[in-house]
Amino acid sequence: MIIIFSTENEISTSDVIYRLKHHGEEVIRINSDDDTFKFSLINKEGIYFKNTRTNKTYNLLEAKSCWWRRTGISMKNFILDTPKEDFIANELDLSVLIKGRKSLLRSETADLKEYILRRIYENCKINIGSPWRYGLNKLEVLDIAQQHGLQTPDYEIISNLNQIAPSGIKNEFVTKSIAEGIYEVIGNNSFYTYTELHKKEDFAGNDVNVFPSMIMNIIDKKMEIRTFYLDGHFYSMAIMSQSLNQTKVDFRKYSDSKPNKCETYKLPKSVEDKLENVFKHLQLNCGSVDLIVNENNEYVFLEINPVGQYAMTNLPCNYNLDEVIAKYLIHGIIE
Amino acid sequence: MKYSKNDVFFVSSSCKLVKGAKRSIIIDYSRGDVQIIPNEYYDLVQDINRKKITEIIAHIDEDSKNSFFSFIEYMLVHEFGFLTEEIEKFPEVSTAYDDDHVILKDAILEVDETVFNEEDFSSLIFQINELHCNDLQIRISSKTNFSFIDKVLSIIDQANMLYVELYLKNEGEITNDQWHYLLKTYAPLSHVHVYNAKTEKAVDYYIERETYFPIEIGKVSHHTLDFEKGCCGTISFDHLNFSDMGTHHFHQKHNGCLFKKLTIDTTGNIKNCPKMTKTYGNFKEKRIEDVIQEKSYQSLWNVKKDDIAICRDCEFRYNCSDCRAFTQQTDDEYSKPLRCGYNPYTNVWEDWSINPLKLLVTEH
Ligand code: SF4
Ligand code: SF4
């Protein structure tokens, strides 16, 4: 039995399951955003969840492997319905006890969830990803990358615009979100955090307090590298984004009609070794890495996304990653 | 053209070059683009790909150098290729095509209201769904009738189909509102083809939502062609695929039409294709899963373009699906599709049906 924690519309999950079933494996897919699987029981023998569509109950501790693809379990997997009415007792409004951030439901769920995920993680012989590494702290990861000898972009975090001019950052710079950034679709518009190019002189003489903001040196890039990493193996792709000025900063702004060329790519062994040390440091065996190759042919590390989409690397490079992942979940090795 | 001493030229991972009898093409799958080049340039690319520019020009005579450089420049401007000093960092893209996990790619179900049995049809859909086939074509040969179509689609709706196409005759009336209802109610239903129509037309259907762009839910196309003749096997430039590299690799290994295809006729017979007479038994008596594993059922699955006469000389061979039911020589498994109007020896496309030689075969 193989467990996959994912979300309802995650396509790579479906593609991998298709292959696992072909190889004769039983797969339990638990989505945090639907309520197919419900918590049933924890006893000495196991942790039981029930598929409410088939009425079958599974002991999750019977799984040999687990893919921590997306957020895991949520409140939905524990209760039938979240309370909507207010909770009034003796004319006192006690709703905070059952609703909202401080509610009892939340704290009970949080500990239960942590316990269940840990037991499954420790019990499985094969894991891809980890329940403790769904998200990483960008600043920490940059430090770790540096410790392992990777070049990283210089940045400062400022709280007033007048700190820009005297900063060690070069004249042309970009702003970046410190955490994940925004991705929201509202009506006909999608909103997401761009990496926007700025010049120091535009902020000269501005004494304005701002929320702590990251300013980062711009890197003149020859190309961007996306790498899918799994247990010591690297599947890399180069995005040749130098050809148009428009793409110098962020290739997502490129028009669809002439997409940037994506080429199969092999990182130098020395860079792969350093990246592998970063993954080991993070106790993570899978993730997508973003790097830049600058004008001097140096590799600059940007970030690791532990749950990133690999389909965009898989398709142009024909790496057959769905099969690689499926085989890894079955055998725990990459052929 | 600027280049350094150690620059190596390589063809982009997203591009394929294919040589035909008289000319070659470059297909850029990342941009859905196709360009025609002379065969000499195809050969040139084979010679120079992944080699140092300085080493190549040492072997080129003075007179040809200019045209050599302008060709390389053409390749670079279109990004069909790149120069690099570190070729070991740009490995060649794999040409593997792995779909072992797919049992059935697509299925054609012929349906006739006068012999239709709801229970049988449900069990058929169930079987097909178990085989993970999620691409379905329904051909209704009886008179078009809204409530019958509605019933057929509601049965299909219980399975996990991703894409459903409907083929009909232009008999009996279905209003625009009814089409809208069907396309909206049954999400996998994407394209309806109506044959024997008086005029050619295509109508797109949308759902309007406040503050959102209208969402396209499907298309109804009317064709003047006859239902029996029209709906299969025709190959024209518009049918060629230049946007999916996977299909290119697929056509290098398998038959573009029949590989992992299933057809069930109106009475439940299992066939390769609606236009072929051979049947492999009835699905009410045999398991489809077993039948499609039979050697004879799979005999045409791997007839590839490189095996087929004339097609093997055609520069579009990996962009072109195939047809084994209508071929120029009916008794030859490797004969060219009849309903293709392309001649790779003259590079002329013509309407296949007006070629007098071919008409003779069609009438037989
Ligand atoms: S072989 Fe020809 S007639 Fe048969 S399904 Fe394919 S295209 Fe249609
Ligand atoms: S000659 Fe063959 S490969 Fe070429 S377009 Fe016609 S059917 Fe396709």
Side-chain angles (χ1 to χ4, degrees), chain B residues 29-41:
Chain B
Y29 284 105
S30 67
R31 293 175 184 162
D33 186 17
V34 55
Q35 300 272 332
I36 289 162
I37 54 165
N39 277 349
E40 298 77 68
Y41 283 109

Side-chain angles (χ1 to χ4, degrees), chain A residues 31-308:
Chain A
N31 297 323
S32 58
D33 53 351
D34 72 23
D35 42 18
T36 306
F37 277 90
K38 291 280 187 203
F39 172 82
S40 169
L41 173 76
I42 294 181
N43 63 16
K44 279 205 183 78
E45 282 77 43
I47 297 172
Y48 299 87
F49 272 68
K50 181 174 174 181
N51 183 333
T52 53
R53 285 193 211 162
T54 61
N55 270 330
K56 259 176 106 173
T57 301
Y58 299 88
N59 179 358
L60 299 186
L61 295 187
E62 276 168 18
K64 65 170 172 183
S65 49
C66 182
W67 187 18
W68 306 88
R69 177 71 186 134
R70 288 289 151 84
T71 46
I73 36 183
S74 67
M75 194 96 96
K76 275 199 165 164
N77 305 104
F78 291 100
I79 50 173
L80 295 174
D81 217 349
T82 36
K84 288 186 184 63
E85 276 103 65
D86 287 343
F87 177 38
I88 315 273
N90 295 334
E91 290 179 20
L92 280 173
D93 185 352
L94 303 176
S95 303
V96 283
L97 298 181
I98 60 162
K99 288 200 293 191
R101 228 158 35 86
K102 288 196 287 188
S103 73
L104 191 59
L105 278 181
R106 273 213 190 213
S107 55
E108 290 286 293
T109 310
D111 278 23
L112 195 52
K113 174 178 166 178
E114 196 196 312
Y115 174 75
I116 291 171
L117 298 186
R118 184 179 301 281
R119 283 293 304 274
I120 294 170
Y121 185 73
E122 285 169 357
N123 188 65
C124 282
K125 284 188 199 72
I126 304 160
N127 284 287
I128 295 183
S130 147
W132 326 118
R133 291 284 181 266
Y134 281 122
L136 294 171
N137 186 312
K138 236 188 246 176
L139 304 179
E140 271 174 36
V141 174
L142 284 173
D143 284 354
I144 293 169
Q146 249 180 42
Q147 275 173 41
H148 292 285
L150 286 160
Q151 196 172 323
T152 56
D154 283 338
Y155 69 85
E156 290 188 14
I157 294 173
I158 56 154
S159 61
N160 190 303
L161 295 185
N162 63 19
Q163 293 170 315
I164 295 176
S167 73
I169 299 299
K170 291 195 198 116
N171 185 41
E172 287 200 339
F173 65 92
V174 289
T175 54
K176 286 216 159 201
S177 65
I178 294 164
E180 270 300 291
I182 299 168
Y183 187 82
E184 267 324 311
V185 181
I186 300 169
N188 271 336
N189 302 298
S190 327
F191 296 88
Y192 53 100
T193 345
Y194 266 132
T195 304
E196 200 77 64
L197 183 66
H198 299 288
K199 285 201 177 84
K200 272 187 174 177
E201 61 247 36
D202 298 340
F203 298 92
N206 274 343
D207 178 8
V208 180
N209 285 324
V210 290
F211 185 85
S213 302
M214 186 189 229
I215 58 173
M216 189 181 262
N217 259 348
I218 178 167
I219 305 158
D220 276 322
K221 63 186 170 198
K222 255 176 125 169
M223 52 198 164
E224 284 178 53
I225 310 288
R226 294 283 145 88
T227 289
F228 178 75
Y229 171 84
L230 177 61
D231 194 22
H233 294 254
F234 291 84
Y235 303 87
S236 306
M237 171 175 91
I239 304 167
M240 320 292 270
S241 53
Q242 190 55 33
S243 55
L244 276 182
N245 272 338
Q246 193 195 359
T247 66
K248 254 189 159 173
V249 178
D250 191 328
F251 87 99
R252 283 178 300 184
K253 273 189 158 180
Y254 205 116
S255 71
D256 276 339
S257 59
K258 227 183 169 205
N260 292 54
K261 283 279 160 161
C262 297
E263 302 297 326
T264 47
Y265 195 77
K266 175 90 183 109
L267 284 167
K269 181 84 174 51
S270 61
V271 176
E272 287 190 353
D273 288 346
K274 287 171 192 165
L275 285 172
E276 188 164 5
N277 289 335
V278 174
F279 274 101
K280 289 215 170 107
H281 189 132
L282 293 167
Q283 291 180 297
L284 186 65
N285 67 351
C286 182
S288 297
V289 190
D290 287 355
L291 300 146
I292 282 178
V293 180
N294 69 16
E295 290 294 351
N296 303 324
N297 283 327
E298 292 161 336
Y299 293 81
V300 183
F301 171 92
L302 293 183
E303 61 181 304
I304 289 176
N305 185 348
V307 295

